[in-house]
Amino acid sequence: MATPPTPAATPASTPASTRSRHSREQVRGVLGRHPSAVLLAVQLVVVLVHPFLQDTAVGRAFIGVAQISVVSIAVWAVRRTPALNWAGALLGGPAVVFTVLEAVSPDTGWIVLVSALLHAPFYFYVSYALIRYLFHDDQVTTDELYATGAAFTVVAWGFAYLYAAVQVLVPGSFLGTSEGEARTWFELLYMSFSVLTSVGLSDVVPIEANARSLVMVEMVAGVLYVALVVSRLVGLVVSRQAVKETQAAAGDDQP
């Protein structure tokens, strides 16, 4: 008599260790396919939760951990590009350390300065690597579309850290509506996004000449980003659609 087939394992009968391994594999699959999407999502989450957590020690610690995650994901995203990996590790490692120090001592000038001087070139390097990733071929993938937004936000992050460094070196470089001579890092990030997108909605303005010069550089960077990166992606999408239409027309003409 034939032996009845063994019933397939159901989710309830699957060992917990197996389900956990499958979950980890799914997470790694998402990170492998769309690292730029993960980078963009984490940055936006940090922006959204920052106002709720910046006034408490626990909140600052959480923000510090979140920023470490952003740095780590950025390093991982850089490794997918032809850019030199050692440069990302050289800049990212010390930046992680000073992220923790700045979360513990946010009012210590030299810590804020060193942290800013480490973070700014690191984020600019990540944006450079992401842009190289966008330009490395003539195909537009889903992750490259996410990389367009991720690179833009990374540039804003880098200029915010530059402004933080200038503010330590030249106190009173920026004027805002809130009390105190120094602007918070979140205020500087808000101004950076406002300048980079050219919307002009920021209530923080540069006062000193060196601060204004950096703001002007960011204005140019924002215009060039739209002109070079976005226009290229649009051109590739239009070109691919034109090729498909040409191929379809050629197929219709065949007997």
Side-chain angles (χ1 to χ4, degrees):
M1 184 174 64
T3 303
T6 303
T10 61
S13 62
T14 304
S17 60
T18 303
R19 293 197 299 269
S20 177
R21 184 175 65 255
H22 289 167
S23 299
R24 291 194 298 268
E25 290 176 354
Q26 291 176 351
V27 171
R28 285 196 294 267
V30 172
L31 292 176
R33 292 191 302 270
H34 304 300
S36 301
V38 176
L39 172 59
L40 177 60
V42 172
Q43 288 178 287
L44 295 179
V45 168
V46 171
V47 169
L48 292 174
V49 302
H50 198 288
F52 301 99
L53 304 176
Q54 64 181 349
D55 296 329
T56 65
V58 175
R60 288 194 298 269
F62 177 82
I63 292 173
V65 172
Q67 288 180 333
I68 291 174
S69 300
V70 172
V71 172
S72 301
I73 294 172
V75 172
W76 195 81
V78 165
R79 291 181 64 247
R80 286 177 56 89
T81 73
L84 297 177
N85 294 335
W86 64 264
L90 182 65
L91 294 170
V96 170
V97 175
F98 275 87
T99 296
V100 177
L101 294 177
E102 188 176 2
V104 176
S105 303
D107 298 323
T108 304
W110 72 271
I111 292 180
V112 175
L113 177 60
V114 174
S115 178
L117 293 178
L118 288 171
H119 278 84
F122 173 70
Y123 278 110
F124 287 135
Y125 169 75
V126 172
S127 63
Y128 155 76
L130 288 172
I131 292 174
R132 285 195 63 177
Y133 173 49
L134 292 172
F135 279 77
H136 81 286
D137 58 25
D138 293 333
Q139 301 295 323
V140 181
T141 64
T142 301
D143 189 64
E144 288 177 349
L145 294 178
Y146 286 121
T148 304
F152 192 82
T153 56
V154 166
V155 172
W157 237 265
F159 274 102
Y161 278 110
L162 275 184
Y163 298 149
V166 170
Q167 185 172 243
V168 174
L169 295 174
V170 184
S173 294
F174 301 95
L175 179 66
T177 57
S178 60
E179 296 181 358
E181 186 178 65
R183 302 298 100 205
T184 66
W185 183 83
F186 192 69
E187 287 179 305
L188 296 176
L189 181 64
Y190 176 70
M191 185 190 72
S192 180
F193 272 102
S194 177
V195 171
L196 195 62
T197 57
S198 301
V199 297
L201 295 177
S202 178
D203 57 353
V204 179
V205 294
I207 299 301
E208 299 295 336
N210 46 14
R212 288 178 173 176
S213 64
L214 286 178
V215 168
M216 286 187 284
V217 171
E218 186 173 14
M219 291 175 181
V220 175
V223 173
L224 288 178
Y225 185 88
V226 174
L228 297 177
V229 177
V230 177
S231 62
R232 182 179 187 273
L233 289 178
V234 172
L236 289 176
V237 171
V238 173
S239 176
R240 184 173 61 180
Q241 184 63 31
V243 171
K244 290 182 179 179
E245 292 177 354
T246 302
Q247 292 174 347
D252 293 339
D253 292 339
Q254 294 179 357

